[in-house]
Amino acid sequence: MSEDREVKIACKGISKTFHVPGQKKLLHVLNAVSLEVYKNEFLVILGPGQSGKTVLLNCIAGLIEPTQGSILINNKPITGPGPDRGMVFQRYALFPWKTVLQNVAFGLTIRGVPLKQRMEVARHYIDLVGLQGFEKSYPAELSGGMKQRVGIARAYASDPDILLMDEPFGALDAQTRYAMEKELRLIWEKEKRTVCFVTNNIEEAIYLGDRVVIMSALPGRIKTEHNITIPVPRAYTHPDFLTLRKQISEDTDLVL
Ligand SMILES: Nc1ncnc2c1ncn2[C@@H]1O[C@H](COP(=O)(O)OP(=O)(O)O)[C@@H](O)[C@H]1O
Ligand SMILES: [Mg+2]
């Protein structure tokens, strides 16, 4: 097996139920989800709202414990969050009182990395996401796309093996979203990591993913998956792109 087919994350029969206040019935949010994510793969998890995408990602992050099943990273069961996993959220989750540089360096600061080194690392990732010149800006001075670049740089700066992204471009306007998808794919080509990217957007999934896993809702489960072999950078008008988009939208409850 080549190095790139090493299994990085293995979800084995994950189920998650919640108690709903005032109701006797349990809410079955995830039902027997089994999934392997390979090292340095760009995996997209695509599904409608309520299909448990965020819950699944938070289980992988170690923030939520599954009711049943286990999650292994590098063949070891996870016991909680760890520095091997970096998160990028839809809501930017930046510190408004910190500059771009301080936000990106934050994870390194709490890990006690010396000042000179953390500035070097933070600047490297600020350059990588195209924010050079904005090191001293505050989040309120940035557009949505720029804030999300800070979020991506911050996640990369802690040097995790795994990047978990939960609809990171969901709050952006369409033009900025396209630009950010392109950037993210380029960044990942330059510095590969194992990515789990969650979205409810079919085009975004096909544009970004090496593989797209499709979930259905209530209870959330994996319905099907597609390997995407369209050459990158992908054109939204590529015939294979259009065929796959049609197929996925017919197979799912998702609207384009
Ligand atoms: N802590 C929680 N307590 C109760 N229900 C929850 C909790 N977290 C998520 N849910 C429920 O789980 C379902 C799936 O949620 P989510 O993972 O956010 O879906 P998605 O991200 O696919 O839209 C939703 O119906 C939501 O209300
Ligand atoms: Mg969600």
Side-chain angles (χ1 to χ4, degrees), residues 42 51 55 62 104 111 137 152 154 170 189 192 205 215 223:
F42 200 125
S51 55
V55 170
V104 173
R111 271 169 42 201
S137 300
I152 294 166
R154 181 180 55 185
E189 299 281 349
K192 290 211 172 154
M215 298 192 62
K223 201 170 173 187

Side-chain angles (χ1 to χ4, degrees), residues 187-198:
I187 291 165
W188 175 82
E189 299 281 349
K190 282 193 201 142
E191 299 209 14
K192 290 211 172 154
R193 297 289 188 277
T194 305
V195 174
C196 296
F197 184 105
V198 161

Side-chain angles (χ1 to χ4, degrees), residues 9-169:
I9 306 167
C11 298
K12 294 181 184 275
I14 301 296
S15 295
K16 181 70 190 173
T17 53
F18 287 108
H19 290 281
V20 184
Q23 281 191 30
K24 280 197 187 132
K25 265 179 37 187
L26 289 171
L27 184 66
H28 288 263
V29 172
L30 292 175
N31 184 23
V33 172
S34 291
L35 174 68
E36 289 187 331
V37 190
Y38 300 103
K39 185 179 176 191
N40 292 345
E41 177 181 34
F42 200 125
L43 178 84
V44 176
I45 299 168
L46 171 69
Q50 312 270 298
S51 55
K53 304 182 297 297
T54 295
V55 170
L56 177 60
L57 211 65
N58 285 334
C59 286
I60 296 171
L63 299 169
I64 295 180
E65 210 180 323
T67 313
Q68 268 176 35
S70 59
I71 299 176
L72 311 181
I73 291 180
N74 296 328
N75 285 316
K76 288 191 205 87
I78 61 165
T79 52
D84 56 341
R85 282 152 285 160
M87 296 280 282
V88 182
F89 304 94
Q90 177 175 356
R91 299 280 157 212
Y92 314 109
L94 303 178
F95 297 115
W97 61 88
K98 289 185 189 286
T99 64
V100 167
L101 188 64
Q102 290 165 342
N103 265 288
V104 173
F106 180 73
L108 303 166
T109 309
I110 55 171
R111 271 169 42 201
V113 175
L115 179 69
K116 185 164 173 286
Q117 194 188 339
R118 63 180 195 251
M119 290 302 124
E120 265 172 32
V121 172
R123 283 180 199 284
H124 169 77
Y125 288 106
I126 286 170
D127 286 357
L128 187 72
V129 300
L131 280 180
Q132 52 278 56
F134 293 93
E135 291 83 351
K136 293 192 174 134
S137 300
Y138 288 88
E141 298 165 331
L142 305 177
S143 69
M146 291 162 87
K147 284 184 209 167
Q148 208 46 288
R149 287 171 196 265
V150 179
I152 294 166
R154 181 180 55 185
Y156 259 100
S158 306
D159 198 25
D161 286 350
I162 297 168
L163 288 169
L164 304 173
M165 304 196 183
D166 192 1
E167 306 201 24
F169 306 145

